[in-house]
Amino acid sequence: ATPDTAFEKSFLPNDGVGLAREEFIIAGDIGIHPNALINYKKMSVKIKNLIDKKTIGYQDKTQFYVDKLAYGIAKIGAAFYPKPVILRFSDFKTNEYRTLIGGELYEPQEENPMIGWRGASRYYHPNFKDAFILELKAIKKVREEMGLDNVIVMVPFCRTPEEGKKVVEIIEKNGLKRGTLRQAQGDKNLRVFVMCEIPSNVILADEFLDVFDGMSIGSNDLTQLTVGIDRDGNEMIRGITNENDGSVKKLISEVIKKCIVRKKYIGICGQAPSDIEGFAEFLVEQGIESISLNPDTVIKTTQKVYQKERKIKI
């Protein structure tokens, strides 16, 4: 989440980054809604002044967004090079985008932003597509100008295979050449993964895998949408169940097996293996390819995974 700590965390035993987030870079280093930069000339004097203070030295305000995003991503990519770094495209909700300069001009007010206008549904929408293209320019800069071709991209909250196709089409139209998961040696083409965090991603796994090069399980949202508990819910409902629920584990087991059959990447980037005792071992039993962990749980969980793998082999 924080590029400034990437080099420090890279000294932990690891095989790369299972989830790099853009949100901290956008909120902390940029602080401006991308549409306000795209439409800078139409902004009020007040908003222009706020933008000008943050973008000193930039005549082209959108280039500020591209550069800042690219530099943040590059810190993570460089810290772990040549190991893979899976970068999730922006996954702010509408209420979070509204906190950025100019955000209230472009974001609707939603009663439940968690299941609202977020993830893939933003990237092809006319009201956000140009902002998404700025993200693609940043990634192209990182991979092609800076040479950090270990960066893999991931689409969050993709509700239908049709949405996936629309997003991938935009990615390819903007000069990011796609490869495949099982690339030949020396093939540095981009891979595009999808978050598996909605029951539809599991139920229609084959259709999603026809579009994407692999999946990474987002256990937080998958649990929320499977058992109907708001992940930000209050204490009166929070204790009912969690990722350890049988229904959630059944979906996870199902999608792991499906990806294995299709010879597509399958990992997990949700909190469950970091937070829940025994969950990492469960994932190992199912044959998952990689487990992404919070930095503070890497060592102890890696030891547990190693012990579990030894038992399975025996």
Side-chain angles (χ1 to χ4, degrees), residues 175-195:
L176 287 164
K177 187 180 177 186
R178 282 183 70 200
T180 60
L181 175 60
R182 314 297 175 188
Q183 298 175 45
Q185 192 172 4
D187 181 0
K188 300 295 185 181
N189 287 342
L190 182 71
R191 288 178 276 169
V192 183
F193 296 158
V194 66
M195 291 276 283

Side-chain angles (χ1 to χ4, degrees), residues 8 23 38 44-45 47 57 80 98 105 107 113-114 140-141 165 168 172 181 188 198 219 248 261 283-284 298 300:
E8 174 195 339
E23 289 80 37
I38 290 167
S44 67
V45 173
I47 291 178
F80 291 87
R98 286 178 68 85
L105 300 174
E107 300 294 329
M114 196 66 78
K140 190 170 184 180
K141 184 181 182 80
K165 288 174 187 175
V168 167
E172 292 178 336
L181 175 60
K188 300 295 185 181
I198 307 170
S219 53
V248 179
V261 168
L283 294 168
V284 173
V298 165
K300 67 176 184 180

Side-chain angles (χ1 to χ4, degrees), residues 26 33 64 82 111-112 115 135 137 151 153 162 175 184 217 221 239 243 251 267 282 287 303 308 313:
I26 295 169
H33 195 288
F64 167 81
E111 289 296 323
N112 193 344
I115 55 171
E135 292 183 42
K137 287 181 177 179
V151 175
V153 296
E162 287 70 34
I217 299 162
D221 272 320
E243 288 90 337
L251 289 176
F282 158 73
Q303 290 172 334
K308 187 66 179 180
K313 285 174 184 174

Side-chain angles (χ1 to χ4, degrees), residues 32-45 47-48 51 60-62 101-102 105-106 126-128 130-131 134:
I32 308 164
H33 195 288
N35 282 340
L37 294 168
I38 290 167
N39 298 302
Y40 172 77
K41 292 180 180 177
K42 298 177 183 177
M43 294 295 102
S44 67
V45 173
I47 291 178
K48 277 184 179 177
I51 292 173
D60 182 347
K61 303 303 180 183
T62 59
I101 293 170
L105 300 174
Y106 299 101
N127 291 359
F128 195 81
D130 288 342
L134 296 183

Side-chain angles (χ1 to χ4, degrees), residues 77-145:
F80 291 87
Y81 192 85
K83 297 171 183 176
V85 170
I86 301 174
L87 174 76
R88 184 179 68 187
F89 289 120
S90 60
D91 194 25
F92 270 148
K93 289 76 176 173
T94 49
N95 59 321
E96 293 165 325
Y97 267 119
R98 286 178 68 85
T99 65
L100 303 177
I101 293 170
E104 71 281 356
L105 300 174
Y106 299 101
E107 300 294 329
Q109 286 188 305
E110 296 181 310
E111 289 296 323
N112 193 344
M114 196 66 78
I115 55 171
W117 192 36
R118 61 177 286 205
S121 63
R122 300 184 74 94
Y123 307 152
Y124 61 85
H125 194 284
N127 291 359
F128 195 81
K129 182 180 174 182
D130 288 342
F132 179 57
I133 289 171
L134 296 183
E135 292 183 42
L136 297 179
K137 287 181 177 179
I139 290 159
K140 190 170 184 180
K141 184 181 182 80
V142 169
R143 284 179 52 85
E144 297 180 12
E145 290 183 31

Side-chain angles (χ1 to χ4, degrees), residues 89 120 123 153-158 167 171 192-195 197 212:
F89 289 120
Y123 307 152
V153 296
M154 181 161 65
V155 177
F157 221 76
C158 186
V167 174
I171 291 170
V192 183
F193 296 158
V194 66
M195 291 276 283
E197 54 189 341
F212 295 101

Side-chain angles (χ1 to χ4, degrees), residues 18-19 21 88 154 195-197 216-222 231 243 267-276 279 283 288 290-294 297:
L19 176 62
R21 302 185 181 105
R88 184 179 68 187
M154 181 161 65
M195 291 276 283
C196 178
E197 54 189 341
S216 183
I217 299 162
S219 53
N220 306 41
D221 272 320
L222 186 61
R231 59 187 280 189
E243 288 90 337
I268 187 167
C269 60
Q271 290 285 118
S274 296
D275 294 349
I276 296 175
F279 207 89
L283 294 168
I288 200 161
S290 76
I291 298 174
S292 183
L293 302 162
N294 293 341
T297 67

